[in-house]
Amino acid sequence: MTKYPTQETEEERAAGPEYLNRSWLIRNWAWRASGVALLLVVGILTRDGSPSPRLSNATRGGKGLLASTISFEPNLGQAEEGISYLARGQSYTLAFRPQGITLYLAGEQGPSLRLQFAGANRAPRLETLDPLGSYANYYLDEDPAYWVSSVPSYGRLLYRDLYPGIDLLWYGQGGWIEYDFLVAPGADPTQIAMVLEETRADGTRWVDRSGNLHTGQGEEAWILRAPVIYQPISERKANGNGPTSTSRLPRPSMADGSRQIEGTYHLLENGEIRFSLGDYDATRPLVIDPVLEFSSYFGGIGMDVANVVRVDQSGNIYLAGETESLNFPTRNGFTSTIGGAGDAFVIKLNPSGTAILFSTFLGGRNPGDRIWDLQIDAMQRIVVCGETNSLNFPVTEDAAQRFFRGNTDGFLSVLTPDGRALAYSTYLGGSLQDIAYSLAIEEAGSVVLTGQTRSSNFPILQALQPQLLGASDVFLTRIDPQGEIALSTYLGGADLDPSGTGEEIGYSVAVDPEGNIYLAGMTGSSGFPTVRPVQPRFGGVEDGFVCKLDPHGETILYSTFLGSSRSDTLRGLVVDAFGQACVSGSTFFADFPTVAALQATYRGNTAAFVAKLSAAGNHLIFSTFLGGTGPENIGTLRSTVPSSALAIDRVGNLYLAGKTGSRDFPMVAPLQGELHGDSDSFVSVIDSAGSSLLFSTFFGSRFTGVNWVDERAMGVAVTPAGTVYLAGQVLQNDLVTRRPLQGTYGGGLSDAFLAIISAGQENRLAPVSAASYVGGTFAPGSIVSIFGKDLAPMSELASTLPLPTSLQGTRVEVTDVGGVTREAPLFF
């Protein structure tokens, strides 16, 4: 058993650890606590030579102390005696001792910083939580006697009873390592006293206007970010719309009606750092909220809009859209010169959002060049599509269509990973208006596009429908890896009903693992082709549609209207792991079809909606309104494209983003609890069964008035860990920013924005019927599927019947209508 001394020896202080270059395996874990009166959320530290404070968790000279994976492992002999646990990032190692931690920066001799806890329990109990199921082996010498093997790793580390009634929790959050003080009811948070010893700082300390504590000057300065303190003040509402909040804070987060407690650092003459707190109710429990990790403007003196955001497997962030700003921030890209009155743009950021890797214009000399969608291919190239009015839009020699043909053409362009060159670029269109709204990349490397065409001479090949039937039709085009058109077809109907518009638009395309192609959009034609439809009849004016085709694009597997008796449109489309199409958009009337609805009531004006279709397309698994008494997700005078975007995480939770003018839009754990302007962006998370609203927030400035555009979210993305990326358009300078690359509004009609939100929720489970995928109450004898992540640390093989009721300690209890609870047999 390792002996833990209460003080480091001088030898330990001088020596750097031997494990700086070891590799580790981690998982990011979200956490929710109860029975806690108060939480002090404190990031580890910032080290930065810039004069302005940075709110990132740990940076030095602009470089982040960030780890793509974080874990905690016990010291079983692989490090110096006296160290209890270890954790590391890409550029640092943390050594945990009962009385504090020591930080070692890569490339520096000896420790860079020590954080001790004055007056604390000299022997707190250190507990690991969330075993990750991974192990490390250390071969420290040729002699096997010095080998250390099977060292386990954990997701969290808890200092139990560091002070009376106060625990200290260490964990990974969005790639950062952070710590929280957990204050139980009746405990005194002013007991907490931290002592910092910076080996290279000059001892100067002050608290800035944002509440961040600075120590030292210049390159050797450290910053301890302002404490964030919460507790709940209201109960969950009974109307089915989830909890609400009356907060108006510019702070990172709120949850379940919780309020932020005022608090700041208090510097003592003896060097201790304590907390000064405002009034709070020590009897109430705590809920940890989502956190706004990053938020920034991107724009200049013209109108700037981000239409799409994506994240690659390495965590790099991509933002694309349109700009009219001559001074739009560009660097290291294909071109830094705007081609005309308006160009498309592409920005690539590092995973933390703290640096632009490249930013480039893309367009010709005419206005109206814009990107509508972006994906990353297997070679990490950036594939974009959109529309152009420019005769000199940049195309490559191997383009499928080298010349501009109409008043507006679609385009497909492929940028190299560094953004400096075009690997491929082509026009796509006929003699009238054509727009490419969405693209998907197939496993073989072909690109599938959809959009709208008014051209009777749109390029057609191997067509399911060879002719334009309405005023405009959807198009579906496949471009193969050699840059040639392999498939191209119209999809639409004749206007058989005088109540329709005769127009179709394909807003979204997706491809499932089997190669089936899914389309979603808007149709104004009662003659739109339907196959095994959920809704066989045209509702009126304009309906949404969902369509599934075989991988060759030769056969419609299903096709259905989805709409009310007035105007409806679908823009968001994702496909889950079971081949179930999930769609989102907006509807103008109360008779929109709802099934197992989270919100069954149409509350006024226009409403957002989310729906999930079965894999066969023969029924709706769920369909729900989401909105208030104001308008949701409608287009603007400058852009008729609906403001609805949809993403899905690995357990099937749906992330809906758009715009709302409803002050009573349903909120759950909001970052911003009330509508700021005439309209704001929103992002909402619905579980995979459609039965629960997990998170929902406004996000916007306080702009009111008319300037022909609206504040709105146009793009959303999510990582496997549940981090949300929100992009769109903002109209004023008071948007809440965090660690911004551009902290102020650019000055034009609108700016693009990007926000990164760490959802901060515990593992969410979604029980659904294994036959219908519908959640709620289940019939006797039903087989139920539970969707979640990390449900058990590993798998087992059952060799006999009946099936076991435990999988590595995971159990499921079922309570019947008679109140009898029993354990269910498990299989997966």
Side-chain angles (χ1 to χ4, degrees), residues 48-50 216-222:
D48 189 8
S50 65
Q217 301 283 345
E219 291 292 330
E220 304 302 333
W222 291 91

PDB file of all heavy atoms in Angstrom, residues 48-50 216-222:
ATOM      1  N   ASP A  48      -1.109  32.552 -19.798  1.00  0.00           N
ATOM      2  CA  ASP A  48      -1.153  33.252 -21.072  1.00  0.00           C
ATOM      3  C   ASP A  48      -0.408  34.565 -20.961  1.00  0.00           C
ATOM      4  O   ASP A  48      -0.555  35.281 -19.979  1.00  0.00           O
ATOM      5  CB  ASP A  48      -2.611  33.504 -21.438  1.00  0.00           C
ATOM      6  CG  ASP A  48      -2.761  34.030 -22.846  1.00  0.00           C
ATOM      7  OD1 ASP A  48      -1.754  34.058 -23.565  1.00  0.00           O
ATOM      8  OD2 ASP A  48      -3.868  34.404 -23.198  1.00  0.00           O
ATOM      9  N   GLY A  49       0.350  34.874 -21.972  1.00  0.00           N
ATOM     10  CA  GLY A  49       1.119  36.099 -21.928  1.00  0.00           C
ATOM     11  C   GLY A  49       0.395  37.323 -22.427  1.00  0.00           C
ATOM     12  O   GLY A  49       0.953  38.403 -22.411  1.00  0.00           O
ATOM     13  N   SER A  50      -0.865  37.191 -22.891  1.00  0.00           N
ATOM     14  CA  SER A  50      -1.565  38.356 -23.418  1.00  0.00           C
ATOM     15  C   SER A  50      -2.086  39.224 -22.287  1.00  0.00           C
ATOM     16  O   SER A  50      -2.373  38.740 -21.211  1.00  0.00           O
ATOM     17  CB  SER A  50      -2.720  37.897 -24.304  1.00  0.00           C
ATOM     18  OG  SER A  50      -3.676  37.222 -23.537  1.00  0.00           O
ATOM     19  N   GLY A 216       1.156  36.967 -11.470  1.00  0.00           N
ATOM     20  CA  GLY A 216       2.337  37.160 -12.299  1.00  0.00           C
ATOM     21  C   GLY A 216       2.058  38.017 -13.514  1.00  0.00           C
ATOM     22  O   GLY A 216       0.963  38.527 -13.720  1.00  0.00           O
ATOM     23  N   GLN A 217       3.085  38.178 -14.343  1.00  0.00           N
ATOM     24  CA  GLN A 217       3.010  39.048 -15.513  1.00  0.00           C
ATOM     25  C   GLN A 217       3.561  38.314 -16.728  1.00  0.00           C
ATOM     26  O   GLN A 217       4.379  37.404 -16.612  1.00  0.00           O
ATOM     27  CB  GLN A 217       3.827  40.328 -15.292  1.00  0.00           C
ATOM     28  CG  GLN A 217       3.389  41.154 -14.097  1.00  0.00           C
ATOM     29  CD  GLN A 217       2.130  41.951 -14.375  1.00  0.00           C
ATOM     30  OE1 GLN A 217       1.743  42.113 -15.522  1.00  0.00           O
ATOM     31  NE2 GLN A 217       1.492  42.457 -13.323  1.00  0.00           N
ATOM     32  N   GLY A 218       3.104  38.739 -17.912  1.00  0.00           N
ATOM     33  CA  GLY A 218       3.696  38.285 -19.170  1.00  0.00           C
ATOM     34  C   GLY A 218       3.527  36.803 -19.410  1.00  0.00           C
ATOM     35  O   GLY A 218       2.541  36.173 -19.033  1.00  0.00           O
ATOM     36  N   GLU A 219       4.547  36.193 -20.034  1.00  0.00           N
ATOM     37  CA  GLU A 219       4.489  34.801 -20.432  1.00  0.00           C
ATOM     38  C   GLU A 219       4.386  33.847 -19.246  1.00  0.00           C
ATOM     39  O   GLU A 219       3.945  32.716 -19.394  1.00  0.00           O
ATOM     40  CB  GLU A 219       5.727  34.434 -21.275  1.00  0.00           C
ATOM     41  CG  GLU A 219       5.771  35.068 -22.634  1.00  0.00           C
ATOM     42  CD  GLU A 219       4.682  34.526 -23.556  1.00  0.00           C
ATOM     43  OE1 GLU A 219       4.282  33.362 -23.397  1.00  0.00           O
ATOM     44  OE2 GLU A 219       4.221  35.277 -24.430  1.00  0.00           O
ATOM     45  N   GLU A 220       4.807  34.282 -18.074  1.00  0.00           N
ATOM     46  CA  GLU A 220       4.781  33.407 -16.902  1.00  0.00           C
ATOM     47  C   GLU A 220       3.517  33.615 -16.066  1.00  0.00           C
ATOM     48  O   GLU A 220       3.399  33.076 -14.974  1.00  0.00           O
ATOM     49  CB  GLU A 220       6.029  33.648 -16.040  1.00  0.00           C
ATOM     50  CG  GLU A 220       7.348  33.468 -16.774  1.00  0.00           C
ATOM     51  CD  GLU A 220       7.480  32.075 -17.375  1.00  0.00           C
ATOM     52  OE1 GLU A 220       6.873  31.126 -16.838  1.00  0.00           O
ATOM     53  OE2 GLU A 220       8.182  31.930 -18.387  1.00  0.00           O
ATOM     54  N   ALA A 221       2.575  34.422 -16.561  1.00  0.00           N
ATOM     55  CA  ALA A 221       1.358  34.700 -15.786  1.00  0.00           C
ATOM     56  C   ALA A 221       0.404  33.518 -15.832  1.00  0.00           C
ATOM     57  O   ALA A 221       0.305  32.803 -16.835  1.00  0.00           O
ATOM     58  CB  ALA A 221       0.675  35.944 -16.326  1.00  0.00           C
ATOM     59  N   TRP A 222      -0.316  33.336 -14.719  1.00  0.00           N
ATOM     60  CA  TRP A 222      -1.386  32.352 -14.638  1.00  0.00           C
ATOM     61  C   TRP A 222      -2.688  33.089 -14.382  1.00  0.00           C
ATOM     62  O   TRP A 222      -2.710  34.157 -13.779  1.00  0.00           O
ATOM     63  CB  TRP A 222      -1.144  31.363 -13.498  1.00  0.00           C
ATOM     64  CG  TRP A 222       0.002  30.437 -13.739  1.00  0.00           C
ATOM     65  CD1 TRP A 222       1.305  30.619 -13.386  1.00  0.00           C
ATOM     66  CD2 TRP A 222      -0.061  29.172 -14.396  1.00  0.00           C
ATOM     67  NE1 TRP A 222       2.067  29.560 -13.786  1.00  0.00           N
ATOM     68  CE2 TRP A 222       1.245  28.639 -14.408  1.00  0.00           C
ATOM     69  CE3 TRP A 222      -1.090  28.433 -14.977  1.00  0.00           C
ATOM     70  CZ2 TRP A 222       1.550  27.414 -14.957  1.00  0.00           C
ATOM     71  CZ3 TRP A 222      -0.785  27.199 -15.525  1.00  0.00           C
ATOM     72  CH2 TRP A 222       0.523  26.706 -15.520  1.00  0.00           C
TER      73      TRP A 222
END
